[in-house]
Amino acid sequence: MFSSNTIAPTGTGVRNPRRRQRTSSTDSAAVRQLPKRLKRSGLTSETFRPLHNPSANGDIYSHETTPSAYGFVQGAERHDQMGGDHTSLTIRNRIHKKAERERRGYRDDGSVELTKNDTYAVTRLATTPIQLQDDRSFAKWRGELAPSIGYAVATTPTEALVWRYKQGANAADSKPTIIRLLYGSQRGNQPIPLAILIPSPSEPGLLVIMPVTGKVTYWETLSGAASVDLSRQKQQAVQGTVSGLASGELITGIIEAEPQGFFLSVSSGKVVHLTIADSQGKASISTQVLRNTNAQTSGLFGSLRTVFSGTGWLKDVAAVKAGRSMHRGHRECIIATTKGVLQGWELNFNGANFLKYEIDAKSKLVESILDTGTFSRDSEDRELSVLDFTFLPVAVKRQEVTSSTSGSTTRLLVLTTISSANDACYNLHVVNIANGAIHVPVVHPVYCYKSPYLPESASQPTLLVPEPGQTAYIVFEKSVVLVSLEEIEESPDSQLQTEARRTPDPFQDVVDFRKDKDWCVVGCGIDIPEKGHRGSACTVMVQGYGLVKVSVAPLEGDLTSSDRAMVTAETKLEQAVFYGSQQSLLDFTGRSETQFTIEDVQEAALRISRSITNSSSKHLATAGPSMEQHLQRRSTALADLIKHLRKQNQPLNRRVRWELLWEAEKIAAARAIWRSYNDSFHSRQKGEKVLLHELIECISENDKTENQPEDHETDPVRHWFIHDVWRLQILIPWVTKALTLLYDESIEDNQPMSSAYRARHISEAHDIELLALQTAYRFRQDNASLYGLDEKSMEDGLLIQDYQDMPEIWTSTTFICEAVRSLAEYFQTFAIDLDSQNSSDEEGNGPPQKLLEKIAEDNPRLVDISCQTHLERSRLLQASDNPDIRQQGHDLESKSCEYRTKLLKGLVTIGQAFAAIKLGEKYQDMEALAEVLESEIQTSQEELNNHIVADEDVEDLQAKIVLCQGYVDEYFQKYGAAWANAFFARFVAQDRISQLLLHGPKQRQHLTAFLRSHAECAAFSWINEVAIEKDYAAAADDLRFAQKQVSGVWAKKIQLSMSKLATMAAVTNQQKENDRAVPLTRQIDSQVEVLNVQEQLYSYLLPIMRSALNDTPAKIEVVMEQYGKRFVRAKKALRSALKFNIGKIVEEQALDAEDLADTITLMDEDALDPNNEFSVCRFLTALRLVHLYFLETGEVARRELLEKIVWRRCIIQDDWPKINRTELKDDAQVEAETGITALFKTLREGFRSGFWDDNPPPAPSSLRGVGTTVESLRVSSRCNTAPDSALSVIATDLEVEDEVLDSCIDEGRLEEWWSGIIEAAKMSAGNEADWRGGKKSQRRAAEREFGHQMRQNDETAWRNQGVVTRGIDTDEEGDVMMDM
């Protein structure tokens, strides 16, 4: 056995060596006898009272061992050392029970919850001294925890701070004790001293070791260590030095190895056993380097030379842990190297120690990793390293290791890493050591953390497994990794995985600290759970921040370990949203090892957003005194959600971004509504309901979350704001419904609502809809970029374009569009009714004037919102792929213009004309602007003209007129043609076109453009062209088009004639070329000729019409009775056409050439005057009309059809079978019968006028079947769109005509007579021409004779009077030729 290197204490305060050794007696008197020095110190024994858990956790460890922060101690011994039964102290017992009650009651201890989910929580403890919460207080410090007593110590180069950190500690307990170190150094490059707290029955002790010099200071009590008197502080200390330290060696760690012992790890790989008491219990510092004095030279462990390489210690120690206590005064120690070598030592309190075993576990550890499939066996470039290990509690049981509960088995959890330059693979190995051999039954690969461990880090990874052993905590410098060790429920899959020695871990996650800060872990330890608490926890000390507790909740109810099998995107997002902005320690940006698909992220984001909007999230309270704060919290959470998603560069699709934005809009709108509702309490009587309260009660049960009276929920308004804000699009349409319902109910109850009460409700309704929608649109515009949307593509919160694939927008649903417009109209109607009823009655029940003014000022804003909602919805519908929906969008756009114009006009009625003007400008509604401005100007002018205003208001009205006129002039420059068209269109609509020509020269250009672009103004446009523009060609076009707009014969002739004159003027002024003017004038002449024919027919019918006086229907009947009895008697369609055309002739309405020809040919032949020139030439006139119509339209097929119909009617006017019967008739009689037929007259007149030269008469047989079928009629453009039923009636009538023609051809042998009739007609026309030529010659000869006689008489008279005359020259006609 090695002798202990005992160092005598140097202070006078060392205990008397003759004192009786302190035993573990349960006599409470020993505890009650407090040292006198406590009375002289600011500290009290109560300050250092240990936690009420005397047995610690010894009941779950093999051989009744109990874990501390640094090792294991036998449960019974720990209990004895803590002073036995503390309950004998009456006062302490009461205080202790109160603290327990406070902990169980979840009292507010000032801690801050940094994050929380269903599995774990991270909390910042409020007990951290303020000096340690700011890294500016100390450059660097080192911390150690004593979980068994709930104390912590932090050391700096010169001081140590000790305080109670356990939750539930009162202010006095949490106050830190500052201890000046005896060997502190101010040199900045010196390692920070090591300190550890030592439990004791009264108050903890403190052990401090200087890493470089090995100086050891031990105070049995903190009160002694905290003495302000330096000499007294030294007297109370037991001092010593760690022996055996070589130059350059540093002490790097202290590991508690009770009783009264510690292990010191040295940078060179040494392990030193340090004790603070001798065998008699007297305080004494002794150290001894572990060396194997009894090792065998062969066998399991090999030679000492092989194990220690001649130096006596290992050089790559990864961890040293104190294990179980064999028996009193003995302790097991296990040392692990980074290469995977495990050494088991047995230590004796008297200094003797020996090596029990040494095992090279590397191959086993590597094999277990390869069996998991994480790496291939060819990965030779990776090296396994052991980082840390810890003892497993017995509570961790798995099917594979059921035999590990035997007393001869040591069960470890080993942390290893296989690292490369960029990443690392961490694994947790369950290692069983028995009889010098190891077995690795289970491996837990760490999938969630792959950052490589850097040896130069401030702290090395630490592995902690708190009770009840269900979760492992791997504490890195800036991260804490949680790995579940819970047993997977048995299933076929789990059995297969067990056989493969790879049981899947139900849960893994990482708590990361921010990388941009200097925060790092400087100490950590497990938390000893309280009685009845099944969860596990650990506490870490963070440099510059304080103490942070990471606790894992136990499985509750029916939950199983499989329920924690995965970290979901929703969980991660919730943590970032609800905790990311509340503190600055944790980093929620996520890790590359834990990635989620974008679909999962989007679904999670939408679920979280909806849970915030409807308050179903577990992170939100559903009750509280301030609804404003509650809504603010939800609004902040939604903002944090999108900020986190954007920070993560998540490629959210456009629809998801919009839906997230809409949820945030609703919360923002709800906040605005609530503030208005909350403020309304100051202006109403106690208990009086406002519209919002009534409104929420009116909403259907299917559209809101019902109150739960059994849960004492009595406020429907607050309940709606908590649970139903996401249904805001349902609340708004109910506003107008509620107004109507409340008013109707008052009527039904025979208690009509007063106008004042209605006005107040209308005002509140305005507030609700305005606050909701205006806030939503403003929020959308202001936050579009935050949600990854282009705010430049918006205007006042409305998308200008890109509505494709957009879902229905909540601000412009069909019901909201209707509701907002209805409310705006509701007040405008109410105001009109109120004005007509003069509601300010003598009883004073009318609405206050200020209230009416407030509503009137709100109404334009509501009209604006109505325009926005309609515009938004119409754009959305028009962007649809469905043509029916697109058409709905176009229809809504047209209706929206009508709605807008109506609402803007309504604003004028409530005295908001200039607000209407501004809205008209905003939406560029030129029609509404024109109507509003014109109305204002006319109304003001009428008031001035009628002198119905007071003298003091005259100037105001005049200024108003000037202002409105200024708007008119301004808009011509601002909006150009759009305004001009709308403004001038008002004159056209009101039949005030003539006033257009009175506008000044500033509007000349716009007026001309308007008149030219509006054909309906052609009748006045030509005046502008002639008088102002001097454009005769344009005037001619206007007149030619204007004649089409009038139906009167006289008006048409005048305009056609003027058009011809304007055309000629245009040629003269070189505005139109002659080649282009000639066809136009010919066309005009043709049209005039048609009108002349109609005038002739009117003159022919005028004598008959006079008999009917001025009764137009009577005139029509008289004409039809005279000329429409025989030929159209059995022809229904033709008779109707004839009657219709006669009606237009009677009214002097112009007929086109086709209708006029049709009318002339349908009149009865026998009713006409045979001697009248019109009746003689009517069929030739009809053919001329057809010819003129062809010149205008150019339709050849139609011309041929009409000509043949005219010829057929001409032929069938006479009885040709009768004419054909020539028996007993001489030539004169036959010639006379033929000469009076319509056919002969028509042929003769045609030859006489030369018409047949270009239009020869057709043979009768070619006229058969013309127009007797529907198909033959469709060659006419007029019949293209006519239904078959209408054309069939016409064809039937024409078929009757065709039958008569057949009779004429067959029975009357007209085909044989045809050539003879043509010759006779031609001869008759020639004879008549000769006769007329002879008459003309005789007249000219008489005129010449008369002229000759007169000249002779004159010459004789002149000679008699002595007048000299010269010869007078005459031409061949006898006319005098004058000298020029």
Side-chain angles (χ1 to χ4, degrees):
M1 301 291 292
F2 290 100
S3 62
S4 61
N5 185 13
T6 305
I7 301 175
T10 59
T12 59
V14 178
R15 284 184 287 185
N16 190 340
R18 297 180 179 272
R19 279 180 52 181
R20 179 177 57 85
Q21 181 180 356
R22 181 175 299 173
T23 65
S24 59
S25 172
T26 58
D27 185 6
S28 62
V31 179
R32 290 192 297 268
Q33 294 175 0
L34 304 177
K36 292 182 180 181
R37 62 179 174 269
L38 292 179
K39 299 179 182 180
R40 297 191 298 270
S41 172
L43 303 174
T44 65
S45 61
E46 197 67 28
T47 303
F48 305 103
R49 179 183 52 77
L51 296 179
H52 181 63
N53 194 1
S55 63
N57 294 304
D59 58 336
I60 67 170
Y61 292 89
S62 59
H63 298 282
E64 298 181 348
T65 58
T66 297
S68 70
Y70 315 100
F72 288 74
V73 64
Q74 189 172 354
E77 293 176 359
R78 170 69 63 85
H79 182 63
D80 292 341
Q81 293 172 5
M82 295 296 292
D85 184 10
H86 296 284
T87 61
S88 60
L89 292 177
T90 306
I91 296 177
R92 285 187 181 178
N93 187 39
R94 289 197 299 270
I95 295 175
H96 172 72
K97 288 184 177 179
K98 180 179 179 182
E100 285 293 323
R101 288 195 300 271
E102 288 174 349
R103 282 193 293 272
R104 287 194 297 269
Y106 304 100
R107 67 185 181 88
D108 185 7
D109 53 12
S111 60
V112 178
E113 197 172 66
L114 302 182
T115 187
K116 183 179 181 181
N117 56 32
D118 293 336
T119 302
Y120 65 88
V122 181
T123 307
R124 180 181 187 180
L125 302 183
T127 54
T128 304
I130 191 65
Q131 299 95 319
L132 304 181
Q133 295 181 20
D134 188 351
D135 56 1
R136 292 173 297 181
S137 298
F138 298 109
K140 293 291 182 181
W141 53 275
R142 185 195 301 268
E144 290 288 344
L145 300 173
S148 60
I149 57 176
Y151 277 82
V153 58
T155 56
T156 69
T158 58
E159 293 179 332
L161 277 76
V162 181
W163 73 98
R164 184 173 179 178
Y165 74 90
K166 272 291 187 179
Q167 297 280 10
N170 55 43
D173 292 341
S174 302
K175 184 177 181 180
T177 300
I178 301 177
I179 300 171
R180 183 175 61 254
L181 301 182
L182 297 182
Y183 302 103
S185 174
Q186 296 291 346
R187 297 172 60 183
N189 59 349
Q190 291 293 321
I192 299 175
L194 306 175
I196 188 170
L197 293 168
I198 304 171
S200 69
S202 57
E203 59 178 300
L206 178 64
L207 176 66
V208 180
I209 300 176
M210 297 298 163
V212 177
T213 63
K215 296 292 185 180
V216 180
T217 306
Y218 167 54
W219 287 281
E220 290 186 276
T221 61
L222 289 178
S223 56
S227 176
V228 296
D229 187 351
L230 179 59
S231 61
R232 185 173 182 80
Q233 183 189 30
K234 291 183 177 180
Q235 290 176 1
Q236 299 292 333
V238 178
Q239 303 181 50
T241 304
V242 177
S243 63
L245 288 179
S247 175
E249 288 185 328
L250 299 176
I251 300 173
T252 57
I254 306 177
I255 301 92
E256 184 181 9
E258 297 181 4
Q260 306 296 322
F262 302 89
F263 293 119
L264 306 181
S265 60
V266 185
S267 60
S268 62
K270 292 179 182 178
V271 177
V272 179
H273 182 207
L274 181 148
T275 59
I276 58 175
D278 58 16
S279 59
Q280 301 300 318
K282 183 175 64 174
S284 174
I285 304 298
S286 65
T287 62
Q288 178 178 315
V289 179
L290 294 186
R291 291 186 176 88
N292 184 12
T293 59
N294 297 324
Q296 300 177 354
T297 59
S298 63
L300 177 65
F301 301 108
S303 65
L304 286 173
R305 182 177 303 168
T306 303
V307 177
F308 296 104
S309 301
T311 61
W313 58 81
L314 301 174
K315 294 185 178 181
D316 54 353
V317 174
V320 180
K321 297 294 172 71
R324 59 190 177 182
S325 178
M326 307 301 181
H327 48 81
R328 186 174 181 81
H330 292 265
R331 172 69 60 187
E332 179 184 25
C333 173
I334 296 180
I335 303 173
T337 71
T338 58
K339 302 299 183 180
V341 176
L342 298 176
Q343 288 186 347
W345 292 79
E346 183 175 338
L347 307 178
N348 194 314
F349 185 74
N350 60 14
N353 56 75
F354 67 93
L355 181 66
K356 293 175 57 179
Y357 57 83
E358 181 176 272
I359 306 171
D360 189 351
K362 181 175 180 179
S363 61
K364 292 284 186 180
L365 296 174
V366 172
E367 188 69 23
S368 65
I369 295 175
L370 293 176
D371 289 343
T372 64
T374 307
F375 290 97
S376 65
R377 297 183 182 273
D378 299 331
S379 303
E380 298 179 356
D381 59 331
R382 293 177 177 260
E383 185 71 20
L384 179 138
S385 298
V386 175
L387 299 179
D388 197 10
F389 74 92
T390 188
F391 292 88
L392 276 176
V394 176
V396 179
K397 296 179 180 179
R398 289 184 177 271
Q399 298 170 352
E400 306 86 345
V401 293
T402 54
S403 62
S404 65
T405 58
S406 61
S408 61
T409 301
T410 300
R411 302 176 60 250
L412 306 176
L413 187 66
V414 181
L415 172 63
T416 67
T417 178
I418 299 179
S419 302
S420 65
N422 299 321
D423 63 358
C425 175
Y426 298 94
N427 293 274
L428 295 177
H429 307 257
V430 176
V431 176
N432 295 335
I433 303 177
N435 301 322
I438 70 166
H439 174 56
V440 185
V442 179
V443 179
H444 298 276
V446 179
Y447 299 109
C448 62
Y449 187 88
K450 294 186 180 297
S451 299
Y453 162 66
L454 302 176
E456 61 270 17
S457 300
S459 61
Q460 70 175 31
T462 303
L463 178 61
L464 304 174
V465 183
E467 293 182 28
Q470 297 174 342
T471 305
Y473 299 81
I474 309 173
V475 182
F476 291 91
E477 184 179 20
K478 284 184 173 291
S479 302
V480 178
V481 180
L482 287 73
V483 180
S484 175
L485 304 177
E486 291 178 297
E487 184 175 308
I488 298 297
E489 290 72 14
E490 185 174 349
S491 66
D493 292 339
S494 64
Q495 291 178 358
L496 293 174
Q497 293 166 336
T498 299
E499 294 173 1
R501 297 202 301 176
R502 179 180 177 271
T503 304
D505 296 311
F507 178 83
Q508 294 185 9
D509 202 1
V510 183
V511 178
D512 278 318
F513 302 156
R514 288 176 54 180
K515 304 300 187 296
D516 58 339
K517 297 288 185 178
D518 293 332
W519 295 318
C520 60
V521 175
V522 295
C524 61
I526 64 173
D527 273 21
I528 299 176
E530 301 173 0
K531 290 183 178 180
H533 183 73
R534 296 187 293 114
S536 64
C538 76
T539 301
V540 295
M541 304 180 74
V542 182
Q543 168 78 40
Y545 189 81
L547 294 178
V548 176
K549 180 178 179 180
V550 183
S551 56
V552 176
L555 292 173
E556 302 289 349
D558 298 332
L559 295 177
T560 63
S561 57
S562 299
D563 297 325
R564 290 180 177 175
M566 293 182 64
V567 176
T568 63
E570 185 172 359
T571 301
K572 284 298 184 182
L573 280 178
E574 282 184 331
Q575 288 178 294
V577 168
F578 293 102
Y579 300 100
S581 63
Q582 297 179 3
Q583 46 75 42
S584 56
L585 175 66
L586 301 186
D587 183 1
F588 294 101
T589 57
R591 302 187 62 86
S592 60
E593 299 90 341
T594 306
Q595 295 294 327
F596 307 99
T597 65
I598 187 59
E599 290 76 14
D600 291 340
V601 173
Q602 291 180 157
E603 291 178 4
L606 291 176
R607 285 195 298 271
I608 292 173
S609 179
R610 177 54 57 87
S611 70
I612 295 171
T613 313
N614 60 21
S615 298
S616 62
S617 173
K618 57 182 175 293
H619 299 284
L620 293 173
T622 56
S626 174
M627 180 57 63
E628 171 64 24
Q629 293 180 3
H630 176 76
L631 292 170
Q632 173 63 46
R633 174 77 176 103
R634 291 156 70 185
S635 177
T636 302
L638 291 174
D640 291 341
L641 173 61
I642 189 60
K643 289 177 182 178
H644 178 74
L645 292 171
R646 294 295 305 279
K647 185 178 180 180
Q648 295 295 99
N649 295 320
Q650 293 290 351
L652 303 176
N653 66 44
R654 185 166 178 259
R655 178 167 185 156
V656 171
R657 282 179 278 139
W658 271 108
E659 292 186 3
L660 293 175
L661 175 58
W662 292 337
E663 297 289 348
E665 291 171 5
K666 292 178 181 179
I667 293 295
R671 289 184 63 196
I673 297 173
W674 172 261
R675 283 194 291 266
S676 175
Y677 171 76
N678 196 48
D679 294 342
S680 67
F681 283 90
H682 305 294
S683 60
R684 69 173 187 265
Q685 298 178 0
K686 184 177 181 180
E688 183 183 3
K689 291 184 179 180
V690 297
L691 179 64
L692 183 61
H693 193 284
E694 302 279 5
L695 170 62
I696 292 175
E697 289 185 344
C698 288
I699 296 177
S700 170
E701 296 179 357
N702 297 329
D703 294 331
K704 65 181 178 182
T705 304
E706 281 295 316
N707 277 354
Q708 303 298 326
E710 61 274 12
D711 295 334
H712 308 288
E713 293 180 349
T714 59
D715 190 343
V717 177
R718 289 178 182 267
H719 189 271
W720 186 90
F721 276 95
I722 292 173
H723 298 286
D724 293 318
V725 169
W726 65 281
R727 291 170 166 165
L728 184 58
Q729 71 274 16
I730 296 177
L731 176 77
I732 296 175
W734 272 94
V735 173
T736 309
K737 292 182 182 179
L739 287 177
T740 305
L741 287 174
L742 293 173
Y743 182 70
D744 292 344
E745 287 178 359
S746 68
I747 299 297
E748 294 176 0
D749 296 339
N750 293 324
Q751 295 180 346
M753 188 183 299
S754 66
S755 58
Y757 201 76
R758 288 183 66 191
R760 196 185 71 183
H761 274 181
I762 294 174
S763 175
E764 293 172 0
H766 274 62
D767 291 342
I768 293 173
E769 293 194 358
L770 284 173
L771 290 171
L773 294 174
Q774 278 191 330
T775 303
Y777 282 122
R778 188 182 308 114
F779 184 92
R780 186 182 302 169
Q781 183 70 46
D782 295 342
N783 295 274
S785 58
L786 176 62
Y787 285 81
L789 303 170
D790 184 11
E791 72 275 11
K792 295 181 180 179
S793 65
M794 293 185 185
E795 184 177 1
D796 295 332
L798 259 68
L799 266 179
I800 300 174
Q801 55 187 2
D802 295 335
Y803 283 86
Q804 291 78 10
D805 302 324
M806 286 274 288
E808 185 176 45
I809 305 174
W810 77 272
T811 49
S812 57
T813 64
T814 301
F815 298 111
I816 284 184
C817 291
E818 176 66 24
V820 179
R821 178 172 54 83
S822 298
L823 181 59
E825 293 176 348
Y826 189 91
F827 172 69
Q828 293 176 0
T829 304
F830 172 77
I832 295 173
D833 295 342
L834 197 63
D835 184 60
S836 62
Q837 297 171 6
N838 192 17
S839 62
S840 299
D841 51 32
E842 297 178 358
E843 299 178 1
N845 294 328
Q849 185 63 29
K850 289 185 177 180
L851 179 61
L852 293 177
E853 292 175 356
K854 182 260 183 188
I855 304 174
E857 292 173 357
D858 288 343
N859 199 255
R861 296 162 55 203
L862 196 64
V863 172
D864 186 15
I865 291 295
S866 176
C867 296
Q868 284 189 236
T869 56
H870 281 82
L871 182 59
E872 184 176 59
R873 183 161 188 81
S874 65
R875 288 175 177 174
L876 176 65
L877 295 178
Q878 291 177 41
S880 173
D881 295 333
N882 189 322
D884 294 336
I885 297 179
R886 283 201 304 272
Q887 186 58 47
Q888 293 177 16
H890 292 299
D891 294 342
L892 180 60
E893 183 179 16
S894 300
K895 291 181 180 178
S896 299
C897 294
E898 298 176 6
Y899 297 151
R900 181 172 60 224
T901 302
K902 180 180 178 181
L903 290 173
L904 294 181
K905 291 170 61 178
L907 290 178
V908 177
T909 62
I910 62 174
Q912 297 294 321
F914 289 99
I917 293 173
K918 295 302 179 184
L919 288 176
E921 291 179 352
K922 176 180 179 180
Y923 294 101
Q924 296 189 11
D925 190 338
M926 302 297 107
E927 181 180 351
L929 278 175
E931 187 166 352
V932 170
L933 286 171
E934 184 188 8
S935 174
E936 285 296 290
I937 293 173
Q938 287 184 352
T939 302
S940 301
Q941 194 64 53
E942 289 175 0
E943 292 179 1
L944 288 175
N945 295 339
N946 297 331
H947 306 288
I948 59 176
V949 295
D951 294 339
E952 58 270 18
D953 295 334
V954 171
E955 292 185 2
D956 292 339
L957 283 177
Q958 291 175 342
K960 185 177 181 181
I961 294 173
V962 172
L963 179 61
C964 290
Q965 190 59 53
Y967 279 124
V968 172
D969 296 337
E970 176 188 350
Y971 292 161
F972 277 105
Q973 297 181 355
K974 186 175 183 180
Y975 300 116
W979 164 250
N981 291 341
F983 181 71
F984 294 137
R986 292 287 303 161
F987 290 83
V988 177
Q990 297 176 358
D991 199 18
R992 296 187 294 123
I993 301 180
S994 58
Q995 296 181 14
L996 291 176
L997 303 178
L998 302 179
H999 287 276
K1002 294 182 180 181
Q1003 303 170 7
R1004 169 182 170 181
Q1005 179 181 357
H1006 296 292
L1007 177 61
T1008 299
F1010 171 79
L1011 292 174
R1012 288 177 178 177
S1013 62
H1014 288 73
E1016 65 272 18
C1017 301
F1020 291 88
S1021 177
W1022 72 270
I1023 302 176
N1024 179 73
E1025 299 292 353
V1026 172
I1028 298 176
E1029 300 296 334
K1030 307 300 182 181
D1031 190 340
Y1032 302 107
D1037 294 338
D1038 288 339
L1039 288 166
R1040 192 167 56 254
F1041 190 86
Q1043 64 87 21
K1044 297 179 181 179
Q1045 299 174 349
V1046 296
S1047 57
V1049 175
W1050 182 84
K1052 277 182 173 292
K1053 287 185 67 175
I1054 293 298
Q1055 290 177 341
L1056 286 171
S1057 301
M1058 294 179 67
S1059 176
K1060 184 176 181 179
L1061 289 174
T1063 301
M1064 296 171 66
V1067 173
T1068 302
N1069 289 274
Q1070 298 182 352
Q1071 296 176 355
K1072 187 182 290 289
E1073 297 178 359
N1074 187 64
D1075 294 342
R1076 296 180 57 191
V1078 170
L1080 293 176
T1081 56
R1082 289 178 179 176
Q1083 184 179 5
I1084 293 173
D1085 292 339
S1086 299
Q1087 293 174 333
V1088 171
E1089 186 175 351
V1090 173
L1091 295 173
N1092 290 335
V1093 171
Q1094 183 170 341
E1095 286 185 333
Q1096 292 177 13
L1097 178 57
Y1098 180 84
S1099 299
Y1100 182 80
L1101 300 177
L1102 184 59
I1104 301 175
M1105 291 187 293
R1106 286 175 178 170
S1107 62
L1109 299 179
N1110 292 326
D1111 188 358
T1112 299
K1115 292 180 179 180
I1116 295 172
E1117 291 300 327
V1118 169
V1119 174
M1120 287 297 297
E1121 181 68 23
Q1122 182 72 19
Y1123 298 106
K1125 291 176 61 177
R1126 181 183 65 82
F1127 191 77
V1128 296
R1129 179 176 54 189
K1131 303 167 186 174
K1132 181 178 180 181
L1134 297 180
R1135 177 177 174 82
S1136 298
L1138 176 61
K1139 185 174 183 179
F1140 176 79
N1141 292 338
I1142 290 296
K1144 296 190 73 173
I1145 292 172
V1146 169
E1147 295 177 346
E1148 298 186 75
Q1149 302 295 311
L1151 294 172
D1152 61 21
E1154 182 177 352
D1155 287 336
L1156 187 56
D1158 203 33
T1159 304
I1160 293 174
T1161 57
L1162 288 177
M1163 297 173 64
D1164 292 339
E1165 176 72 16
D1166 53 4
L1168 297 173
D1169 182 1
N1171 297 319
N1172 187 280
E1173 183 179 358
F1174 173 78
S1175 94
V1176 171
C1177 300
R1178 64 176 182 136
F1179 286 103
L1180 179 61
T1181 301
L1183 291 172
R1184 288 181 181 276
L1185 292 174
V1186 172
H1187 177 68
L1188 294 174
Y1189 190 77
F1190 167 74
L1191 293 177
E1192 183 176 354
T1193 62
E1195 297 183 39
V1196 178
R1198 186 174 184 181
R1199 173 190 177 184
E1200 292 178 354
L1201 174 66
L1202 296 177
E1203 284 182 342
K1204 288 181 179 181
I1205 291 176
V1206 172
W1207 275 111
R1208 184 172 59 194
R1209 290 177 180 171
C1210 177
I1211 292 172
I1212 65 176
Q1213 292 294 321
D1214 299 289
D1215 189 357
W1216 285 100
K1218 180 179 179 182
I1219 296 174
N1220 180 57
R1221 291 194 291 270
T1222 59
E1223 61 273 17
L1224 303 178
K1225 297 179 181 177
D1226 57 10
D1227 288 343
Q1229 185 176 359
V1230 174
E1231 289 177 0
E1233 291 178 358
T1234 304
I1236 63 174
T1237 61
L1239 175 60
F1240 185 86
K1241 296 177 182 178
T1242 301
L1243 289 172
R1244 184 187 62 195
E1245 295 301 323
F1247 284 122
R1248 182 184 297 170
S1249 62
F1251 185 75
W1252 307 134
D1253 295 342
D1254 297 323
N1255 304 277
S1261 58
S1262 65
L1263 308 179
R1264 284 182 167 178
V1266 174
T1268 57
T1269 62
V1270 173
E1271 291 73 15
S1272 62
L1273 290 175
R1274 289 206 181 275
V1275 299
S1276 171
S1277 59
R1278 178 178 289 189
C1279 300
N1280 282 342
T1281 58
D1284 290 346
S1285 57
L1287 293 181
S1288 63
V1289 177
I1290 298 174
T1292 301
D1293 290 350
L1294 295 177
E1295 189 175 358
V1296 174
E1297 294 182 357
D1298 197 62
E1299 291 176 357
V1300 179
L1301 177 64
D1302 291 341
S1303 175
C1304 294
I1305 295 174
D1306 296 338
E1307 299 178 15
R1309 296 189 306 154
L1310 185 59
E1311 193 72 26
E1312 300 175 15
W1313 284 71
W1314 186 252
S1315 59
I1317 297 175
I1318 291 178
E1319 288 297 329
K1322 183 184 299 185
M1323 184 180 298
S1324 175
N1327 294 335
E1328 185 174 349
D1330 293 341
W1331 178 80
R1332 290 185 177 181
K1335 286 290 188 181
K1336 184 177 181 181
S1337 298
Q1338 293 177 4
R1339 185 175 68 255
R1340 295 297 297 173
E1343 290 175 353
R1344 284 196 300 272
E1345 179 64 26
F1346 176 76
H1348 179 71
Q1349 185 64 42
M1350 290 299 296
R1351 285 196 300 274
Q1352 288 181 348
N1353 293 337
D1354 291 338
E1355 290 177 355
T1356 301
W1358 292 337
R1359 282 194 298 268
N1360 293 333
Q1361 295 177 5
V1363 178
V1364 178
T1365 62
R1366 61 181 179 87
I1368 299 176
D1369 297 328
T1370 60
D1371 59 14
E1372 61 180 3
E1373 297 292 335
D1375 296 328
V1376 177
M1377 299 177 63
M1378 305 294 294
D1379 292 333
M1380 300 296 295

